[in-house]
Amino acid sequence: MSYTFDFASVFRNMAPLWDGLLVTIQLTIAANVIGLTLGFVLALLVMSRWRAIRLPVTLFIEFFRCTPAIIQIVWFFYCVPMLFNVFLGSVTMGIMALGLNLAAFNAEAYRASIQAVPREQLDAGVALGLTPFQRVLYIILPTAVRNSVPVLLTNGIGTFQQSALVAIVAVQDLMYQGKTLATLTYRPIETFTIVALVYFAVSFPVSQIVGYLERRREVLAS
Amino acid sequence: MSDTAPLIKIEGLHKSYGGVVQVLQGLDIEMTAGDRVVIIGPSGGGKSTLLRVLMGLEQIDRGSITFGGNPYISAKSGKTAIDAKVRRSIGMVFQHYTLFPHLDVIGNLILAPTKVRGEKKADARERAMALLTRFGLAQKANAYPAQLSGGQKQRVAIARALMLDPKLMLFDEVTSALDPELVAEVEQVILQLAHQQMPMVIVTHDMWFARNIASRVIFCAGGVVVEDGPPEQVLGSPKEERTREFIERVFHIKH
Ligand SMILES: Nc1ncnc2c1ncn2[C@@H]1O[C@H](COP(=O)(O)OP(=O)(O)O)[C@@H](O)[C@H]1O
Ligand SMILES: [Mg+2]
């Protein structure tokens, strides 16, 4: 192999990468706030007994689940300003696109764990005189949230990785800074290796936590 | 309430699932506050369904149920009317464990008293501890359901129902899912309640338990009452051929 690695010139210019990581983390946190809250509302709506509510919400969720995230981001960036005559700044638009995408996936996670609450537990709730609202609040919600935590974390960290896509619409995130640095140093291989390692360093501990939570849940459920 | 006035009066109870499976086909049962009714019968005969109807968990097709002389459940033009206030005076323990897994034992016991009745948390905890102590579960007060044995879970479930001071308790095969060595501890708790004159309806396949707790035994099959009488008679010398056959088969007793 004739290629000689030269990490030194990349290390000398690392500062923008940290700025980029900060933007990426901001995107991730904001998108997760949207994903966790809106996702739960969507899950409740999609289980509504009224078709008129169920149908549009199902469509909304499936649209985000069944189209590539990169198209959603591009679409948000170019179509929303044209259609609605609003432009909210590239970071905000990125957050919206990533947040709605995450909400759609989280809605599915919430729905599955809400429907997994055993019927007998709800019967016991009736036998104890709890009202329907109290049964949602004190029986369904705590169990459903607890059961969906591993999937929510997995989805959330997925958004951290997917946020790299917003670089194509000029959000100055970790990926964007990486591309700039690669051009600057003429060292794309080294630069992207480091960028990948940064993504990995954040994602890996979270996926370990997910694994731990799932093992613990299996023990508790037995 | 006197011991002979009916506590529960079931008249012409019909119940099907989705109009297809006819489960209860004109059931008439009366029980007084002094009664401890044991229901026996073949699997799939509608025993659980009857208890679930009594608990207000099911829609009915026809018939009516009164509780302490007041209307409780009735069917009018396809709709089932259930008096929620009456329902709150009935407690039920199920065959499968129904403790809330995210709450510890105390949390399970005080949920309904604090949320349904607005009892103060401290008061409810105090009553809960007293009940747990009585059932030999005081050291488990802060354990989670996953940390309990099956027998302990069922005793906690009984305590949880008792927290609401029910005037009638329903037990649906509460020991069927237990390992044999755990059955006695649960039955002891129910026997304790019986000694305190708690009216109850019990579905069980345990002959010893049935004999010891019942003031009356009802044999249900095909959605109707086949035989109804004191335990010595129904279990010891049944009048009906179907009862005799069932008892011989299930309890391995030859008459
Ligand atoms: N939720 C349900 N939907 C449809 N059929 C049911 C349901 N629950 C019970 N059944 C049917 O009703 C009949 C009586 O069941 P059940 O009351 O559980 O009997 P038992 O407790 O005496 O074994 C059975 O044939 C059973 O399959
Ligand atoms: Mg049954």
Side-chain angles (χ1 to χ4, degrees):
Chain A
M1 208 165 63
S2 57
Y3 189 85
T4 42
F5 282 92
D6 170 21
F7 280 99
S9 57
V10 181
F11 282 138
R12 250 180 277 121
N13 299 293
M14 284 274 283
L17 285 191
W18 300 129
D19 296 341
L21 177 62
L22 214 65
V23 172
T24 292
I25 288 177
Q26 280 170 357
L27 285 170
T28 305
I29 291 175
N32 268 284
V33 170
I34 296 175
L36 290 172
T37 49
L38 180 65
F40 191 77
V41 176
L42 291 178
L44 291 181
L45 292 178
V46 92
M47 290 186 295
S48 160
R49 74 181 89 175
W50 292 289
R51 231 173 106 86
I53 296 178
R54 229 166 37 226
L55 213 67
V57 177
T58 308
L59 263 175
F60 177 89
I61 291 175
E62 292 307 320
F63 170 77
F64 280 97
R65 277 158 49 90
C66 300
T67 55
I70 193 163
I71 291 179
Q72 293 162 21
I73 288 164
V74 170
W75 191 86
F76 245 82
F77 236 75
Y78 296 107
C79 297
V80 169
M82 261 165 35
L83 288 176
F84 303 105
N85 203 18
V86 284
F87 192 81
L88 300 160
S90 53
V91 173
T92 314
M93 296 295 266
I95 289 171
M96 294 284 284
L98 292 169
L100 293 182
N101 176 285
L102 183 57
F105 280 88
N106 283 353
E108 275 306 293
Y110 282 125
R111 186 196 55 74
S113 46
I114 286 172
Q115 289 180 338
V117 174
R119 191 188 133 181
E120 288 92 2
Q121 279 190 26
L122 296 176
D123 288 342
V126 177
L128 289 169
L130 299 174
T131 63
F133 179 69
Q134 288 174 327
R135 296 199 290 272
V136 170
L137 199 60
Y138 301 120
I139 305 175
I140 296 180
L141 195 68
T143 317
V145 168
R146 243 173 42 138
N147 288 349
S148 42
V149 163
V151 183
L152 296 176
L153 272 177
T154 304
N155 289 351
I157 205 68
T159 292
F160 170 73
Q161 289 153 21
Q162 291 214 325
S163 73
L165 297 172
V166 299
I168 64 158
V169 289
V171 176
Q172 302 188 344
D173 72 330
L174 177 57
M175 185 66 190
Y176 181 92
Q177 300 290 8
K179 280 202 292 192
T180 314
L181 190 60
T183 325
L184 199 79
T185 57
Y186 300 106
R187 287 286 165 188
I189 297 179
E190 289 83 346
T191 309
F192 285 118
T193 305
I194 290 171
V195 168
L197 285 176
V198 174
Y199 276 109
F200 179 81
V202 177
S203 298
F204 183 67
V206 178
S207 80
Q208 291 303 103
I209 293 171
V210 172
Y212 166 76
L213 288 177
E214 277 179 341
R215 280 193 302 278
R216 201 185 63 154
R217 200 165 50 138
E218 269 160 31
V219 172
L220 281 180
S222 63
Chain B
M1 198 186 306
S2 88
D3 256 19
T4 47
L7 175 67
I8 283 271
K9 191 168 179 184
I10 304 173
E11 281 180 305
L13 176 61
H14 288 255
K15 157 79 187 161
S16 63
Y17 286 103
V20 192
V21 195
Q22 289 293 331
V23 183
L24 305 177
Q25 318 199 32
L27 215 61
D28 299 294
I29 297 176
E30 242 185 75
M31 78 174 273
T32 68
D35 269 332
R36 290 175 307 281
V37 176
V38 165
I39 298 178
I40 58 172
S43 169
K47 305 180 298 297
S48 295
T49 302
L50 172 59
L51 257 55
R52 291 177 58 82
V53 166
L54 278 175
M55 188 63 250
L57 293 170
E58 297 285 351
Q59 309 278 307
I60 63 171
D61 300 339
R62 262 189 288 157
S64 69
I65 302 176
T66 63
F67 188 91
N70 302 310
Y72 170 31
I73 298 175
S74 58
K76 284 187 203 91
S77 58
K79 277 220 188 297
T80 303
I82 299 171
D83 186 321
K85 203 161 152 253
V86 173
R87 177 163 65 188
R88 281 201 287 279
S89 53
I90 302 176
M92 179 160 176
V93 183
F94 300 79
Q95 174 175 2
H96 299 289
Y97 314 128
T98 55
L99 297 181
F100 306 129
H102 59 285
L103 298 175
D104 64 6
V105 167
I106 280 270
N108 267 278
L109 262 64
I110 69 171
L111 178 68
T114 53
K115 303 305 177 193
V116 175
R117 286 189 183 174
E119 186 175 358
K120 277 213 219 75
K121 239 186 174 146
D123 297 346
R125 289 184 79 92
E126 199 173 306
R127 289 197 305 122
M129 277 316 293
L131 260 179
L132 291 174
T133 308
R134 216 176 93 196
F135 288 179
L137 290 162
Q139 17 22 301
K140 296 289 176 191
N142 296 308
Y144 282 84
Q147 301 167 311
L148 303 177
S149 73
Q152 289 167 339
K153 282 184 211 173
Q154 288 301 58
R155 283 185 286 156
V156 172
I158 295 169
R160 182 174 70 176
L162 292 177
M163 284 295 288
L164 295 167
D165 305 311
K167 298 193 177 71
L168 172 69
M169 280 293 293
L170 311 174
F171 297 95
D172 187 9
E173 293 197 43
V174 293
T175 59
S176 298
L178 297 181
D179 291 334
E181 73 271 22
L182 300 177
V183 168
E185 64 186 56
V186 176
E187 292 182 344
Q188 285 304 331
V189 163
I190 302 174
L191 280 164
Q192 216 187 87
L193 286 180
H195 286 307
Q196 292 164 341
Q197 312 306 318
M198 170 69 76
M200 46 180 87
V201 181
I202 302 161
V203 175
T204 182
H205 290 299
D206 185 327
M207 182 70 166
W208 176 89
F209 186 51
R211 269 188 197 283
N212 277 278
I213 202 156
S215 65
R216 252 171 81 191
V217 175
I218 294 177
F219 176 64
C220 255
V224 293
V225 173
V226 176
E227 191 157 353
D228 178 351
E232 314 78 53
Q233 182 239 303
V234 179
L235 299 173
S237 48
K239 290 192 189 114
E240 301 290 329
E241 187 52 37
R242 287 166 77 188
T243 317
R244 181 190 309 273
E245 238 170 60
F246 173 79
I247 289 173
E248 280 174 6
R249 189 159 41 80
V250 174
F251 302 125
H252 310 290
I253 295 170
K254 285 271 174 220
H255 291 106

